[in-house]
Amino acid sequence: MLTRPTFRRPAMLSPEAAETILGEPDPAERNELAHTTALALVHGARATEPAASPEADAAMVRRLVELVDTEGLDLLVQLWSRSPADTLPGALWRLYLLREWTRRDPRTIADRYHLGLHQAEVAGVVAGVAGPTGPEEIQSVADAVLHGVFRGDLAVALDRAGAFLRVLAAGSAMDADWVELSDDARATELTRRAGSLLETAEDLEQAASLWRAGKLD
């Protein structure tokens, strides 16, 4: 169960917008705030011409990629976690959550990704994780996906994240098969997790299709 978070105002929000997340907004207000902040991040970054200094432009994108590092995951929980998967804030929530996961448990993710590559080779090509697959490569691809949100093709970034999760789902399922004989409860948990990863992969791929059709907002 999540405890009530303590918020500080992020740089991308106005004081007025920040005030609305300090309490418990009604569903309509929460939905409007979720869409407003997501649109501000994505469309604002894309509408900005590359800076005269490449270093300044890279620093701006890096701040967006590292948003959770500077502002905390609790802020995004409040802003976006209740948004449906087929919306822009819902898709962004899943991408930032994926990046946070790669920061917290890169070794386990790398091991399961390596396992899954044997069962999901096509998805592995789309995900584009550099080999040999290790913790640093796993973290790098999560950053690259978010970089694509702000400076590349958003649909490609979403598809890449979906493919990454498909490989992880395959690896988790294989892990479940191996531990089933010695730890049935653990195998059940891994199987459930594999199903959740696959569902999120499908959500991200659907969001990519909606973006291409101009319907992801």
Side-chain angles (χ1 to χ4, degrees), residues 91 95 98 113 122-128 141 145 148-149 153-167 200-212 216:
L95 294 181
L98 172 60
Y113 189 90
V122 174
V125 171
V126 175
V141 78
V145 164
V149 169
D153 185 323
L154 178 56
V156 170
L158 291 166
D159 277 334
R160 189 176 182 185
F164 180 82
L165 290 176
R166 282 186 179 276
V167 177
T200 303
E202 293 169 348
D203 288 340
L204 291 170
E205 290 161 356
Q206 173 64 12
S209 296
L210 290 171
W211 177 263
R212 290 188 176 101
L216 185 70

PDB file of all heavy atoms in Angstrom, residues 91 95 98 113 122-128 141 145 148-149 153-167 200-212 216:
ATOM      1  N   ALA A  91       0.798   5.846 -21.160  1.00  0.00           N
ATOM      2  CA  ALA A  91       1.977   5.298 -21.831  1.00  0.00           C
ATOM      3  C   ALA A  91       3.256   5.822 -21.190  1.00  0.00           C
ATOM      4  O   ALA A  91       4.205   5.061 -20.948  1.00  0.00           O
ATOM      5  CB  ALA A  91       1.947   5.655 -23.316  1.00  0.00           C
ATOM      6  N   LEU A  95       6.475   3.816 -19.325  1.00  0.00           N
ATOM      7  CA  LEU A  95       7.868   3.965 -19.749  1.00  0.00           C
ATOM      8  C   LEU A  95       8.768   4.397 -18.591  1.00  0.00           C
ATOM      9  O   LEU A  95       9.878   3.869 -18.414  1.00  0.00           O
ATOM     10  CB  LEU A  95       7.969   4.975 -20.889  1.00  0.00           C
ATOM     11  CG  LEU A  95       7.320   4.576 -22.214  1.00  0.00           C
ATOM     12  CD1 LEU A  95       7.524   5.675 -23.252  1.00  0.00           C
ATOM     13  CD2 LEU A  95       7.874   3.259 -22.737  1.00  0.00           C
ATOM     14  N   LEU A  98       9.208   1.523 -16.217  1.00  0.00           N
ATOM     15  CA  LEU A  98      10.179   0.578 -16.753  1.00  0.00           C
ATOM     16  C   LEU A  98      11.601   1.062 -16.471  1.00  0.00           C
ATOM     17  O   LEU A  98      12.468   0.282 -16.024  1.00  0.00           O
ATOM     18  CB  LEU A  98       9.967   0.412 -18.257  1.00  0.00           C
ATOM     19  CG  LEU A  98      11.020  -0.407 -19.009  1.00  0.00           C
ATOM     20  CD1 LEU A  98      11.102  -1.826 -18.462  1.00  0.00           C
ATOM     21  CD2 LEU A  98      10.718  -0.422 -20.503  1.00  0.00           C
ATOM     22  N   TYR A 113      16.340 -11.264 -19.356  1.00  0.00           N
ATOM     23  CA  TYR A 113      16.343 -10.820 -20.755  1.00  0.00           C
ATOM     24  C   TYR A 113      17.194 -11.774 -21.591  1.00  0.00           C
ATOM     25  O   TYR A 113      16.803 -12.157 -22.702  1.00  0.00           O
ATOM     26  CB  TYR A 113      16.876  -9.394 -20.841  1.00  0.00           C
ATOM     27  CG  TYR A 113      16.714  -8.776 -22.215  1.00  0.00           C
ATOM     28  CD1 TYR A 113      15.567  -8.069 -22.538  1.00  0.00           C
ATOM     29  CD2 TYR A 113      17.696  -8.936 -23.195  1.00  0.00           C
ATOM     30  CE1 TYR A 113      15.401  -7.517 -23.804  1.00  0.00           C
ATOM     31  CE2 TYR A 113      17.532  -8.390 -24.449  1.00  0.00           C
ATOM     32  CZ  TYR A 113      16.388  -7.682 -24.751  1.00  0.00           C
ATOM     33  OH  TYR A 113      16.221  -7.157 -26.001  1.00  0.00           O
ATOM     34  N   VAL A 122      12.769 -12.117 -32.514  1.00  0.00           N
ATOM     35  CA  VAL A 122      12.308 -10.955 -33.284  1.00  0.00           C
ATOM     36  C   VAL A 122      12.114  -9.753 -32.363  1.00  0.00           C
ATOM     37  O   VAL A 122      12.549  -8.629 -32.666  1.00  0.00           O
ATOM     38  CB  VAL A 122      11.003 -11.273 -34.036  1.00  0.00           C
ATOM     39  CG1 VAL A 122      10.457 -10.012 -34.701  1.00  0.00           C
ATOM     40  CG2 VAL A 122      11.237 -12.363 -35.078  1.00  0.00           C
ATOM     41  N   ALA A 123      11.475  -9.979 -31.214  1.00  0.00           N
ATOM     42  CA  ALA A 123      11.296  -8.900 -30.241  1.00  0.00           C
ATOM     43  C   ALA A 123      12.640  -8.376 -29.768  1.00  0.00           C
ATOM     44  O   ALA A 123      12.811  -7.171 -29.538  1.00  0.00           O
ATOM     45  CB  ALA A 123      10.472  -9.396 -29.051  1.00  0.00           C
ATOM     46  N   GLY A 124      13.616  -9.269 -29.631  1.00  0.00           N
ATOM     47  CA  GLY A 124      14.941  -8.839 -29.214  1.00  0.00           C
ATOM     48  C   GLY A 124      15.589  -7.899 -30.219  1.00  0.00           C
ATOM     49  O   GLY A 124      16.263  -6.938 -29.837  1.00  0.00           O
ATOM     50  N   VAL A 125      15.366  -8.150 -31.497  1.00  0.00           N
ATOM     51  CA  VAL A 125      15.899  -7.259 -32.529  1.00  0.00           C
ATOM     52  C   VAL A 125      15.246  -5.879 -32.427  1.00  0.00           C
ATOM     53  O   VAL A 125      15.921  -4.839 -32.522  1.00  0.00           O
ATOM     54  CB  VAL A 125      15.676  -7.857 -33.931  1.00  0.00           C
ATOM     55  CG1 VAL A 125      16.036  -6.846 -35.014  1.00  0.00           C
ATOM     56  CG2 VAL A 125      16.498  -9.140 -34.101  1.00  0.00           C
ATOM     57  N   VAL A 126      13.936  -5.851 -32.220  1.00  0.00           N
ATOM     58  CA  VAL A 126      13.214  -4.573 -32.112  1.00  0.00           C
ATOM     59  C   VAL A 126      13.658  -3.809 -30.864  1.00  0.00           C
ATOM     60  O   VAL A 126      13.854  -2.589 -30.899  1.00  0.00           O
ATOM     61  CB  VAL A 126      11.692  -4.805 -32.077  1.00  0.00           C
ATOM     62  CG1 VAL A 126      10.946  -3.482 -31.838  1.00  0.00           C
ATOM     63  CG2 VAL A 126      11.220  -5.453 -33.370  1.00  0.00           C
ATOM     64  N   ALA A 127      13.831  -4.524 -29.759  1.00  0.00           N
ATOM     65  CA  ALA A 127      14.239  -3.874 -28.511  1.00  0.00           C
ATOM     66  C   ALA A 127      15.619  -3.246 -28.646  1.00  0.00           C
ATOM     67  O   ALA A 127      15.888  -2.176 -28.086  1.00  0.00           O
ATOM     68  CB  ALA A 127      14.228  -4.883 -27.367  1.00  0.00           C
ATOM     69  N   GLY A 128      16.511  -3.900 -29.349  1.00  0.00           N
ATOM     70  CA  GLY A 128      17.805  -3.309 -29.655  1.00  0.00           C
ATOM     71  C   GLY A 128      18.736  -3.148 -28.473  1.00  0.00           C
ATOM     72  O   GLY A 128      19.473  -2.159 -28.395  1.00  0.00           O
ATOM     73  N   VAL A 141      19.243   0.923 -22.517  1.00  0.00           N
ATOM     74  CA  VAL A 141      18.125   0.850 -23.450  1.00  0.00           C
ATOM     75  C   VAL A 141      16.900   1.563 -22.873  1.00  0.00           C
ATOM     76  O   VAL A 141      16.129   2.175 -23.614  1.00  0.00           O
ATOM     77  CB  VAL A 141      17.794  -0.614 -23.824  1.00  0.00           C
ATOM     78  CG1 VAL A 141      17.020  -1.331 -22.731  1.00  0.00           C
ATOM     79  CG2 VAL A 141      17.011  -0.658 -25.136  1.00  0.00           C
ATOM     80  N   VAL A 145      15.021   4.573 -24.848  1.00  0.00           N
ATOM     81  CA  VAL A 145      13.587   4.595 -25.141  1.00  0.00           C
ATOM     82  C   VAL A 145      13.002   5.957 -24.786  1.00  0.00           C
ATOM     83  O   VAL A 145      12.275   6.576 -25.583  1.00  0.00           O
ATOM     84  CB  VAL A 145      12.862   3.471 -24.390  1.00  0.00           C
ATOM     85  CG1 VAL A 145      11.356   3.716 -24.377  1.00  0.00           C
ATOM     86  CG2 VAL A 145      13.162   2.122 -25.026  1.00  0.00           C
ATOM     87  N   GLY A 148      13.958   8.671 -27.113  1.00  0.00           N
ATOM     88  CA  GLY A 148      13.154   8.633 -28.327  1.00  0.00           C
ATOM     89  C   GLY A 148      11.800   9.279 -28.166  1.00  0.00           C
ATOM     90  O   GLY A 148      11.219   9.783 -29.137  1.00  0.00           O
ATOM     91  N   VAL A 149      11.277   9.288 -26.954  1.00  0.00           N
ATOM     92  CA  VAL A 149       9.998   9.951 -26.696  1.00  0.00           C
ATOM     93  C   VAL A 149      10.099  11.441 -26.985  1.00  0.00           C
ATOM     94  O   VAL A 149       9.180  12.047 -27.537  1.00  0.00           O
ATOM     95  CB  VAL A 149       9.561   9.722 -25.231  1.00  0.00           C
ATOM     96  CG1 VAL A 149       8.375  10.615 -24.867  1.00  0.00           C
ATOM     97  CG2 VAL A 149       9.210   8.255 -25.005  1.00  0.00           C
ATOM     98  N   ASP A 153      11.118   9.154 -32.804  1.00  0.00           N
ATOM     99  CA  ASP A 153       9.773   8.751 -33.192  1.00  0.00           C
ATOM    100  C   ASP A 153       9.132   8.088 -31.974  1.00  0.00           C
ATOM    101  O   ASP A 153       9.576   7.035 -31.519  1.00  0.00           O
ATOM    102  CB  ASP A 153       9.858   7.775 -34.357  1.00  0.00           C
ATOM    103  CG  ASP A 153       8.492   7.397 -34.908  1.00  0.00           C
ATOM    104  OD1 ASP A 153       7.538   7.265 -34.111  1.00  0.00           O
ATOM    105  OD2 ASP A 153       8.370   7.212 -36.130  1.00  0.00           O
ATOM    106  N   LEU A 154       8.088   8.706 -31.430  1.00  0.00           N
ATOM    107  CA  LEU A 154       7.457   8.178 -30.217  1.00  0.00           C
ATOM    108  C   LEU A 154       6.909   6.784 -30.431  1.00  0.00           C
ATOM    109  O   LEU A 154       7.014   5.921 -29.543  1.00  0.00           O
ATOM    110  CB  LEU A 154       6.352   9.127 -29.742  1.00  0.00           C
ATOM    111  CG  LEU A 154       5.556   8.682 -28.505  1.00  0.00           C
ATOM    112  CD1 LEU A 154       6.467   8.402 -27.329  1.00  0.00           C
ATOM    113  CD2 LEU A 154       4.521   9.730 -28.134  1.00  0.00           C
ATOM    114  N   ALA A 155       6.333   6.525 -31.595  1.00  0.00           N
ATOM    115  CA  ALA A 155       5.787   5.196 -31.861  1.00  0.00           C
ATOM    116  C   ALA A 155       6.900   4.146 -31.840  1.00  0.00           C
ATOM    117  O   ALA A 155       6.708   3.040 -31.305  1.00  0.00           O
ATOM    118  CB  ALA A 155       5.066   5.176 -33.211  1.00  0.00           C
ATOM    119  N   VAL A 156       8.048   4.471 -32.403  1.00  0.00           N
ATOM    120  CA  VAL A 156       9.181   3.545 -32.378  1.00  0.00           C
ATOM    121  C   VAL A 156       9.640   3.305 -30.948  1.00  0.00           C
ATOM    122  O   VAL A 156       9.945   2.160 -30.559  1.00  0.00           O
ATOM    123  CB  VAL A 156      10.342   4.089 -33.238  1.00  0.00           C
ATOM    124  CG1 VAL A 156      11.606   3.258 -33.033  1.00  0.00           C
ATOM    125  CG2 VAL A 156       9.952   4.097 -34.714  1.00  0.00           C
ATOM    126  N   ALA A 157       9.681   4.360 -30.133  1.00  0.00           N
ATOM    127  CA  ALA A 157      10.079   4.216 -28.732  1.00  0.00           C
ATOM    128  C   ALA A 157       9.112   3.294 -27.981  1.00  0.00           C
ATOM    129  O   ALA A 157       9.532   2.431 -27.196  1.00  0.00           O
ATOM    130  CB  ALA A 157      10.137   5.584 -28.063  1.00  0.00           C
ATOM    131  N   LEU A 158       7.819   3.459 -28.227  1.00  0.00           N
ATOM    132  CA  LEU A 158       6.820   2.621 -27.569  1.00  0.00           C
ATOM    133  C   LEU A 158       6.923   1.171 -28.027  1.00  0.00           C
ATOM    134  O   LEU A 158       6.842   0.238 -27.213  1.00  0.00           O
ATOM    135  CB  LEU A 158       5.423   3.170 -27.837  1.00  0.00           C
ATOM    136  CG  LEU A 158       5.094   4.511 -27.173  1.00  0.00           C
ATOM    137  CD1 LEU A 158       3.827   5.112 -27.783  1.00  0.00           C
ATOM    138  CD2 LEU A 158       4.932   4.351 -25.665  1.00  0.00           C
ATOM    139  N   ASP A 159       7.110   0.970 -29.326  1.00  0.00           N
ATOM    140  CA  ASP A 159       7.281  -0.388 -29.846  1.00  0.00           C
ATOM    141  C   ASP A 159       8.543  -1.037 -29.283  1.00  0.00           C
ATOM    142  O   ASP A 159       8.565  -2.235 -28.983  1.00  0.00           O
ATOM    143  CB  ASP A 159       7.362  -0.371 -31.374  1.00  0.00           C
ATOM    144  CG  ASP A 159       5.987  -0.335 -32.034  1.00  0.00           C
ATOM    145  OD1 ASP A 159       5.013  -0.797 -31.413  1.00  0.00           O
ATOM    146  OD2 ASP A 159       5.904   0.154 -33.178  1.00  0.00           O
ATOM    147  N   ARG A 160       9.591  -0.244 -29.157  1.00  0.00           N
ATOM    148  CA  ARG A 160      10.848  -0.778 -28.627  1.00  0.00           C
ATOM    149  C   ARG A 160      10.672  -1.223 -27.175  1.00  0.00           C
ATOM    150  O   ARG A 160      11.156  -2.292 -26.790  1.00  0.00           O
ATOM    151  CB  ARG A 160      11.926   0.300 -28.734  1.00  0.00           C
ATOM    152  CG  ARG A 160      13.323  -0.192 -28.430  1.00  0.00           C
ATOM    153  CD  ARG A 160      14.346   0.903 -28.647  1.00  0.00           C
ATOM    154  NE  ARG A 160      15.693   0.401 -28.400  1.00  0.00           N
ATOM    155  CZ  ARG A 160      16.780   1.163 -28.419  1.00  0.00           C
ATOM    156  NH1 ARG A 160      16.681   2.457 -28.698  1.00  0.00           N
ATOM    157  NH2 ARG A 160      17.969   0.637 -28.169  1.00  0.00           N
ATOM    158  N   ALA A 161       9.978  -0.415 -26.380  1.00  0.00           N
ATOM    159  CA  ALA A 161       9.718  -0.790 -24.984  1.00  0.00           C
ATOM    160  C   ALA A 161       8.835  -2.032 -24.914  1.00  0.00           C
ATOM    161  O   ALA A 161       9.055  -2.922 -24.071  1.00  0.00           O
ATOM    162  CB  ALA A 161       9.060   0.369 -24.248  1.00  0.00           C
ATOM    163  N   GLY A 162       7.837  -2.108 -25.789  1.00  0.00           N
ATOM    164  CA  GLY A 162       6.978  -3.281 -25.822  1.00  0.00           C
ATOM    165  C   GLY A 162       7.756  -4.540 -26.151  1.00  0.00           C
ATOM    166  O   GLY A 162       7.560  -5.598 -25.528  1.00  0.00           O
ATOM    167  N   ALA A 163       8.661  -4.446 -27.125  1.00  0.00           N
ATOM    168  CA  ALA A 163       9.481  -5.594 -27.501  1.00  0.00           C
ATOM    169  C   ALA A 163      10.404  -6.010 -26.359  1.00  0.00           C
ATOM    170  O   ALA A 163      10.603  -7.204 -26.097  1.00  0.00           O
ATOM    171  CB  ALA A 163      10.304  -5.260 -28.745  1.00  0.00           C
ATOM    172  N   PHE A 164      10.966  -5.026 -25.678  1.00  0.00           N
ATOM    173  CA  PHE A 164      11.823  -5.290 -24.520  1.00  0.00           C
ATOM    174  C   PHE A 164      11.063  -6.103 -23.472  1.00  0.00           C
ATOM    175  O   PHE A 164      11.578  -7.094 -22.931  1.00  0.00           O
ATOM    176  CB  PHE A 164      12.285  -3.956 -23.946  1.00  0.00           C
ATOM    177  CG  PHE A 164      13.175  -4.056 -22.739  1.00  0.00           C
ATOM    178  CD1 PHE A 164      14.533  -4.303 -22.881  1.00  0.00           C
ATOM    179  CD2 PHE A 164      12.664  -3.887 -21.467  1.00  0.00           C
ATOM    180  CE1 PHE A 164      15.361  -4.384 -21.766  1.00  0.00           C
ATOM    181  CE2 PHE A 164      13.481  -3.969 -20.352  1.00  0.00           C
ATOM    182  CZ  PHE A 164      14.830  -4.217 -20.501  1.00  0.00           C
ATOM    183  N   LEU A 165       9.823  -5.717 -23.205  1.00  0.00           N
ATOM    184  CA  LEU A 165       9.023  -6.424 -22.207  1.00  0.00           C
ATOM    185  C   LEU A 165       8.601  -7.804 -22.698  1.00  0.00           C
ATOM    186  O   LEU A 165       8.445  -8.733 -21.893  1.00  0.00           O
ATOM    187  CB  LEU A 165       7.799  -5.594 -21.835  1.00  0.00           C
ATOM    188  CG  LEU A 165       8.110  -4.324 -21.032  1.00  0.00           C
ATOM    189  CD1 LEU A 165       6.839  -3.518 -20.787  1.00  0.00           C
ATOM    190  CD2 LEU A 165       8.775  -4.663 -19.704  1.00  0.00           C
ATOM    191  N   ARG A 166       8.416  -7.972 -23.993  1.00  0.00           N
ATOM    192  CA  ARG A 166       8.096  -9.303 -24.527  1.00  0.00           C
ATOM    193  C   ARG A 166       9.253 -10.278 -24.275  1.00  0.00           C
ATOM    194  O   ARG A 166       9.037 -11.441 -23.923  1.00  0.00           O
ATOM    195  CB  ARG A 166       7.789  -9.217 -26.022  1.00  0.00           C
ATOM    196  CG  ARG A 166       6.390  -8.701 -26.342  1.00  0.00           C
ATOM    197  CD  ARG A 166       6.081  -8.775 -27.819  1.00  0.00           C
ATOM    198  NE  ARG A 166       4.731  -8.292 -28.084  1.00  0.00           N
ATOM    199  CZ  ARG A 166       3.632  -9.031 -27.968  1.00  0.00           C
ATOM    200  NH1 ARG A 166       3.745 -10.306 -27.607  1.00  0.00           N
ATOM    201  NH2 ARG A 166       2.450  -8.515 -28.214  1.00  0.00           N
ATOM    202  N   VAL A 167      10.471  -9.795 -24.465  1.00  0.00           N
ATOM    203  CA  VAL A 167      11.629 -10.648 -24.192  1.00  0.00           C
ATOM    204  C   VAL A 167      11.699 -10.983 -22.705  1.00  0.00           C
ATOM    205  O   VAL A 167      11.950 -12.139 -22.320  1.00  0.00           O
ATOM    206  CB  VAL A 167      12.936  -9.969 -24.655  1.00  0.00           C
ATOM    207  CG1 VAL A 167      14.143 -10.829 -24.291  1.00  0.00           C
ATOM    208  CG2 VAL A 167      12.899  -9.707 -26.156  1.00  0.00           C
ATOM    209  N   THR A 200       1.599  -5.547 -20.410  1.00  0.00           N
ATOM    210  CA  THR A 200       2.135  -4.192 -20.554  1.00  0.00           C
ATOM    211  C   THR A 200       2.770  -3.993 -21.925  1.00  0.00           C
ATOM    212  O   THR A 200       2.661  -2.918 -22.523  1.00  0.00           O
ATOM    213  CB  THR A 200       3.158  -3.898 -19.449  1.00  0.00           C
ATOM    214  OG1 THR A 200       2.544  -4.092 -18.171  1.00  0.00           O
ATOM    215  CG2 THR A 200       3.657  -2.462 -19.537  1.00  0.00           C
ATOM    216  N   ALA A 201       3.440  -5.025 -22.428  1.00  0.00           N
ATOM    217  CA  ALA A 201       4.011  -4.946 -23.777  1.00  0.00           C
ATOM    218  C   ALA A 201       2.911  -4.664 -24.797  1.00  0.00           C
ATOM    219  O   ALA A 201       3.072  -3.814 -25.689  1.00  0.00           O
ATOM    220  CB  ALA A 201       4.732  -6.250 -24.114  1.00  0.00           C
ATOM    221  N   GLU A 202       1.802  -5.361 -24.688  1.00  0.00           N
ATOM    222  CA  GLU A 202       0.677  -5.157 -25.604  1.00  0.00           C
ATOM    223  C   GLU A 202       0.098  -3.753 -25.460  1.00  0.00           C
ATOM    224  O   GLU A 202      -0.281  -3.116 -26.460  1.00  0.00           O
ATOM    225  CB  GLU A 202      -0.390  -6.213 -25.349  1.00  0.00           C
ATOM    226  CG  GLU A 202       0.065  -7.625 -25.724  1.00  0.00           C
ATOM    227  CD  GLU A 202      -0.888  -8.700 -25.223  1.00  0.00           C
ATOM    228  OE1 GLU A 202      -1.775  -8.378 -24.404  1.00  0.00           O
ATOM    229  OE2 GLU A 202      -0.733  -9.861 -25.653  1.00  0.00           O
ATOM    230  N   ASP A 203       0.051  -3.244 -24.219  1.00  0.00           N
ATOM    231  CA  ASP A 203      -0.431  -1.878 -23.988  1.00  0.00           C
ATOM    232  C   ASP A 203       0.441  -0.858 -24.718  1.00  0.00           C
ATOM    233  O   ASP A 203      -0.061   0.070 -25.370  1.00  0.00           O
ATOM    234  CB  ASP A 203      -0.422  -1.559 -22.490  1.00  0.00           C
ATOM    235  CG  ASP A 203      -1.517  -2.277 -21.716  1.00  0.00           C
ATOM    236  OD1 ASP A 203      -2.505  -2.722 -22.329  1.00  0.00           O
ATOM    237  OD2 ASP A 203      -1.376  -2.394 -20.486  1.00  0.00           O
ATOM    238  N   LEU A 204       1.750  -1.024 -24.615  1.00  0.00           N
ATOM    239  CA  LEU A 204       2.675  -0.081 -25.245  1.00  0.00           C
ATOM    240  C   LEU A 204       2.603  -0.162 -26.767  1.00  0.00           C
ATOM    241  O   LEU A 204       2.666   0.862 -27.459  1.00  0.00           O
ATOM    242  CB  LEU A 204       4.092  -0.347 -24.758  1.00  0.00           C
ATOM    243  CG  LEU A 204       4.354  -0.002 -23.283  1.00  0.00           C
ATOM    244  CD1 LEU A 204       5.707  -0.535 -22.834  1.00  0.00           C
ATOM    245  CD2 LEU A 204       4.271   1.500 -23.053  1.00  0.00           C
ATOM    246  N   GLU A 205       2.455  -1.353 -27.287  1.00  0.00           N
ATOM    247  CA  GLU A 205       2.341  -1.509 -28.740  1.00  0.00           C
ATOM    248  C   GLU A 205       1.032  -0.909 -29.255  1.00  0.00           C
ATOM    249  O   GLU A 205       1.006  -0.318 -30.341  1.00  0.00           O
ATOM    250  CB  GLU A 205       2.443  -2.987 -29.094  1.00  0.00           C
ATOM    251  CG  GLU A 205       3.853  -3.541 -28.876  1.00  0.00           C
ATOM    252  CD  GLU A 205       3.917  -5.055 -28.769  1.00  0.00           C
ATOM    253  OE1 GLU A 205       2.847  -5.701 -28.789  1.00  0.00           O
ATOM    254  OE2 GLU A 205       5.024  -5.609 -28.645  1.00  0.00           O
ATOM    255  N   GLN A 206      -0.032  -1.037 -28.471  1.00  0.00           N
ATOM    256  CA  GLN A 206      -1.292  -0.400 -28.850  1.00  0.00           C
ATOM    257  C   GLN A 206      -1.166   1.118 -28.806  1.00  0.00           C
ATOM    258  O   GLN A 206      -1.685   1.825 -29.682  1.00  0.00           O
ATOM    259  CB  GLN A 206      -2.411  -0.859 -27.909  1.00  0.00           C
ATOM    260  CG  GLN A 206      -3.752  -0.147 -28.090  1.00  0.00           C
ATOM    261  CD  GLN A 206      -4.389  -0.408 -29.445  1.00  0.00           C
ATOM    262  OE1 GLN A 206      -3.940  -1.299 -30.186  1.00  0.00           O
ATOM    263  NE2 GLN A 206      -5.422   0.333 -29.779  1.00  0.00           N
ATOM    264  N   ALA A 207      -0.454   1.633 -27.807  1.00  0.00           N
ATOM    265  CA  ALA A 207      -0.221   3.078 -27.725  1.00  0.00           C
ATOM    266  C   ALA A 207       0.576   3.558 -28.936  1.00  0.00           C
ATOM    267  O   ALA A 207       0.327   4.653 -29.463  1.00  0.00           O
ATOM    268  CB  ALA A 207       0.525   3.418 -26.434  1.00  0.00           C
ATOM    269  N   ALA A 208       1.531   2.744 -29.394  1.00  0.00           N
ATOM    270  CA  ALA A 208       2.302   3.112 -30.584  1.00  0.00           C
ATOM    271  C   ALA A 208       1.387   3.220 -31.804  1.00  0.00           C
ATOM    272  O   ALA A 208       1.508   4.163 -32.608  1.00  0.00           O
ATOM    273  CB  ALA A 208       3.403   2.058 -30.844  1.00  0.00           C
ATOM    274  N   SER A 209       0.470   2.274 -31.931  1.00  0.00           N
ATOM    275  CA  SER A 209      -0.473   2.324 -33.060  1.00  0.00           C
ATOM    276  C   SER A 209      -1.366   3.556 -32.980  1.00  0.00           C
ATOM    277  O   SER A 209      -1.644   4.212 -34.003  1.00  0.00           O
ATOM    278  CB  SER A 209      -1.337   1.050 -33.062  1.00  0.00           C
ATOM    279  OG  SER A 209      -0.551  -0.094 -33.286  1.00  0.00           O
ATOM    280  N   LEU A 210      -1.793   3.902 -31.787  1.00  0.00           N
ATOM    281  CA  LEU A 210      -2.635   5.086 -31.608  1.00  0.00           C
ATOM    282  C   LEU A 210      -1.869   6.361 -31.940  1.00  0.00           C
ATOM    283  O   LEU A 210      -2.405   7.284 -32.545  1.00  0.00           O
ATOM    284  CB  LEU A 210      -3.157   5.140 -30.165  1.00  0.00           C
ATOM    285  CG  LEU A 210      -4.205   4.080 -29.797  1.00  0.00           C
ATOM    286  CD1 LEU A 210      -4.466   4.098 -28.287  1.00  0.00           C
ATOM    287  CD2 LEU A 210      -5.494   4.311 -30.561  1.00  0.00           C
ATOM    288  N   TRP A 211      -0.595   6.423 -31.549  1.00  0.00           N
ATOM    289  CA  TRP A 211       0.226   7.601 -31.867  1.00  0.00           C
ATOM    290  C   TRP A 211       0.364   7.757 -33.374  1.00  0.00           C
ATOM    291  O   TRP A 211       0.261   8.867 -33.910  1.00  0.00           O
ATOM    292  CB  TRP A 211       1.586   7.479 -31.196  1.00  0.00           C
ATOM    293  CG  TRP A 211       2.521   8.617 -31.515  1.00  0.00           C
ATOM    294  CD1 TRP A 211       3.496   8.634 -32.462  1.00  0.00           C
ATOM    295  CD2 TRP A 211       2.539   9.912 -30.900  1.00  0.00           C
ATOM    296  NE1 TRP A 211       4.147   9.851 -32.470  1.00  0.00           N
ATOM    297  CE2 TRP A 211       3.580  10.653 -31.533  1.00  0.00           C
ATOM    298  CE3 TRP A 211       1.794  10.522 -29.884  1.00  0.00           C
ATOM    299  CZ2 TRP A 211       3.871  11.967 -31.160  1.00  0.00           C
ATOM    300  CZ3 TRP A 211       2.093  11.824 -29.511  1.00  0.00           C
ATOM    301  CH2 TRP A 211       3.122  12.524 -30.151  1.00  0.00           C
ATOM    302  N   ARG A 212       0.605   6.671 -34.073  1.00  0.00           N
ATOM    303  CA  ARG A 212       0.735   6.735 -35.538  1.00  0.00           C
ATOM    304  C   ARG A 212      -0.550   7.221 -36.186  1.00  0.00           C
ATOM    305  O   ARG A 212      -0.521   7.869 -37.236  1.00  0.00           O
ATOM    306  CB  ARG A 212       1.119   5.365 -36.082  1.00  0.00           C
ATOM    307  CG  ARG A 212       2.538   4.930 -35.752  1.00  0.00           C
ATOM    308  CD  ARG A 212       2.921   3.650 -36.471  1.00  0.00           C
ATOM    309  NE  ARG A 212       4.327   3.304 -36.204  1.00  0.00           N
ATOM    310  CZ  ARG A 212       4.701   2.382 -35.322  1.00  0.00           C
ATOM    311  NH1 ARG A 212       3.792   1.718 -34.624  1.00  0.00           N
ATOM    312  NH2 ARG A 212       5.980   2.132 -35.127  1.00  0.00           N
ATOM    313  N   LEU A 216      -3.417   9.224 -29.837  1.00  0.00           N
ATOM    314  CA  LEU A 216      -2.901   9.054 -28.479  1.00  0.00           C
ATOM    315  C   LEU A 216      -2.806  10.425 -27.836  1.00  0.00           C
ATOM    316  O   LEU A 216      -1.959  11.245 -28.195  1.00  0.00           O
ATOM    317  CB  LEU A 216      -1.535   8.367 -28.508  1.00  0.00           C
ATOM    318  CG  LEU A 216      -0.939   8.028 -27.134  1.00  0.00           C
ATOM    319  CD1 LEU A 216      -1.744   6.896 -26.473  1.00  0.00           C
ATOM    320  CD2 LEU A 216       0.527   7.610 -27.266  1.00  0.00           C
TER     321      LEU A 216
END
